Amino acid sequence: MVGAGRIGAALLVVALGAGVGQGTAAAGAPAREPLDTWTGSWEAAPSGTTTAHPGASFRNVVHLSVGGDAVRVRLTNRLGTAPLRLDTVTVALRGTGPDAVPGSMRTATFGGAGTVTIPAGEDLVTDAVPLAVPAAADLLVTVHTPDDSGPATYHRVAGGTNYRAQSGNWAADSDGAAYTTTTTSWYYVTGVDVLDPPAAGSVVAFGDSLTDGNGSTRDANHRWPDRLAERLKALPPYRRLGVLNAGISGNRLLRDDTGPSALARLDADALSRSGVRVLIVMEGINDIKGTPNAADPDAFESAYRALVTRAHAHGIRVIGGTLTPYGGNGAYTAAREGVRQAVNALVRAGAGGLFDAVVDFDAAVRDPEQPQWIRPAYDSGDHLHFNDAGMRALADTVDLTTLAPLTPWTP
């Protein structure tokens, strides 16, 4: 159980919040202090709004990266236009489908209250929920919306199956029989933190559909950030990190499109998340191939520099990812390929360049015979997105020494 001193009051998350730092010790070093610290374990960045379902219960299935002694949930009305009333929010370990593991259902509170209203344009974090969760667990986060609160903030491409009970408050039911409608989006939930995990903080994967997981197998958690979490899980606790997927399909670096631009959402989707140590940025291909398209590499350089400067102000290191090929895709042109190559040259600048470190995703997945194309073994079929093997190749390219130190973090 979580002691009373560890039950934090709910708090409104403003656009320029601060991540929660955390220090741990290596095996053989002095024992880790019980710092009562929170670390991000899962994220879905809000990508837009969709039709609300007043009176419905939404059961979201989220896959944690690291475990902990308790959880807290970040709920969102960030893109909504009216106050969002929630009269029940529950958390449980998932059994199968929409069913909860017996005995694991917990009701979340907000400053001790069971109901809450989230103002339009804001996120809100629950109180600590006394539920111990293991790494790589599936968690059910269920919300009941009794009223018509206007458009629902959601993450459209969940890459997995979620559930809805069209009418009635079934949020606290462990039996999922009422959840007869399925959806492939996450509604109203944008993050899960865990308390005192055996980890040294979190890393945010910040990008577009390539990070969101388009092309990978549904319900399998084969996005490249999921594979990165598997690799990090094998490290000792003082080097282990939670992995937060802040990818949005269709997102752009330089302008709003699907979801706010990378520059506009950086604080809410990365810098304010709990325990963030490192940011991996792979974003810009939609600016190059989209309409209108961006053709000036200097604009990309300015945007990347702004991201890095803002992250550094929070003590967060930034790793730049090169933009991957899309030859054969309907949006490909030779001129746009020239822009991609110029942007990648900026990213690869190395020491003294834009980023603290570089991960060369492009080199890992391009076809040696046609470097403007993805390797056929990694291509999901549209010559832009990656299948499971391609997602694994992206994750395996990340040098873990650029994420987690070889010696313990300093608190």
Side-chain angles (χ1 to χ4, degrees):
M1 293 293 289
V2 179
R6 300 166 97 182
I7 305 293
L11 58 108
L12 289 175
V13 179
V14 297
L16 194 58
V20 180
Q22 179 173 351
T24 60
R32 185 164 66 97
E33 293 294 329
L35 298 177
D36 289 4
T37 53
W38 291 95
T39 293
S41 184
W42 175 86
E43 176 181 353
S47 65
T49 59
T50 190
T51 303
H53 294 267
S57 297
F58 294 88
R59 180 151 285 182
N60 301 283
V61 179
V62 307
H63 186 69
L64 303 181
S65 55
V66 292
D69 297 336
V71 300
R72 66 182 183 188
V73 179
R74 185 177 300 217
L75 301 162
T76 184
N77 189 27
R78 195 187 310 163
L79 305 178
T81 57
L84 169 65
R85 180 169 170 248
L86 304 176
D87 64 353
T88 309
V89 177
T90 63
V91 178
L93 291 169
R94 183 194 190 193
T96 58
D99 295 340
V101 171
S104 70
M105 183 64 68
R106 305 285 190 273
T107 297
T109 58
F110 308 83
T115 64
V116 71
T117 298
I118 306 176
E122 296 184 0
D123 294 350
L124 185 126
V125 179
T126 68
D127 298 336
V129 178
L131 176 66
V133 294
D138 281 348
L139 199 67
L140 300 177
V141 178
T142 309
V143 301
H144 179 247
T145 57
D147 310 315
D148 186 352
S149 300
T153 298
Y154 79 146
H155 182 93
R156 183 175 65 86
V157 182
T161 304
N162 300 285
Y163 303 91
R164 185 172 71 241
Q166 191 59 36
S167 62
N169 187 349
W170 303 96
D173 276 35
S174 293
D175 185 333
Y179 293 87
T180 56
T181 300
T182 60
T183 175
T184 55
S185 302
W186 286 301
Y187 284 74
Y188 301 116
V189 60
T190 183
V192 176
D193 297 339
V194 294
L195 181 66
D196 285 344
S202 59
V203 53
V204 178
F206 197 73
D208 48 41
S209 58
L210 304 178
T211 298
D212 209 1
N214 290 33
S216 63
T217 300
R218 181 177 292 179
D219 291 315
N221 299 307
H222 285 168
R223 313 163 192 87
W224 75 259
D226 296 319
R227 167 59 182 164
L228 180 62
E230 292 175 6
R231 294 183 64 206
L232 287 164
K233 184 180 177 183
L235 297 180
Y238 75 94
R239 296 191 61 212
R240 199 174 302 156
L241 297 171
V243 179
L244 304 181
N245 188 334
I248 295 178
S249 298
N251 199 234
R252 292 191 180 202
L253 176 70
L254 302 175
R255 60 184 298 142
D256 295 347
D257 193 338
T258 303
S261 72
L263 289 169
R265 69 187 184 92
L266 178 68
D267 295 310
D269 289 340
L271 306 186
S272 68
R273 299 289 170 153
S274 296
V276 177
R277 298 286 190 178
V278 186
L279 179 67
I280 303 175
V281 177
M282 180 173 58
E283 186 137 26
I285 199 66
N286 289 324
D287 298 86
I288 293 172
K289 72 178 187 63
T291 303
N293 65 294
D296 182 4
D298 289 345
F300 289 83
E301 180 177 6
S302 295
Y304 289 142
R305 287 195 186 280
L307 291 174
V308 171
T309 297
R310 289 161 60 185
H312 283 177
H314 289 257
I316 297 169
R317 299 180 67 247
V318 186
I319 298 173
T322 51
L323 304 181
T324 52
Y326 70 109
N329 183 269
Y332 177 87
T333 69
R336 293 174 180 179
E337 173 66 5
V339 178
R340 186 181 75 90
Q341 293 293 348
V343 171
N344 280 349
L346 291 169
V347 173
R348 291 187 181 108
L354 290 171
F355 298 101
D356 298 303
V358 174
V359 53
D360 201 340
F361 292 127
D362 171 50
V365 300
R366 67 192 180 206
D367 186 338
E369 303 300 321
Q370 301 181 92
Q372 72 273 28
W373 290 59
I374 299 169
R375 287 177 182 262
Y378 296 160
D379 194 339
S380 70
D382 65 1
H383 310 305
L384 171 66
H385 297 101
F386 298 96
N387 59 21
D388 292 352
M391 290 289 178
R392 177 176 286 268
L394 292 174
D396 289 351
T397 302
V398 178
D399 181 353
L400 298 187
T401 64
T402 66
L403 300 185
L406 299 178
T407 56
W409 294 103
T410 300

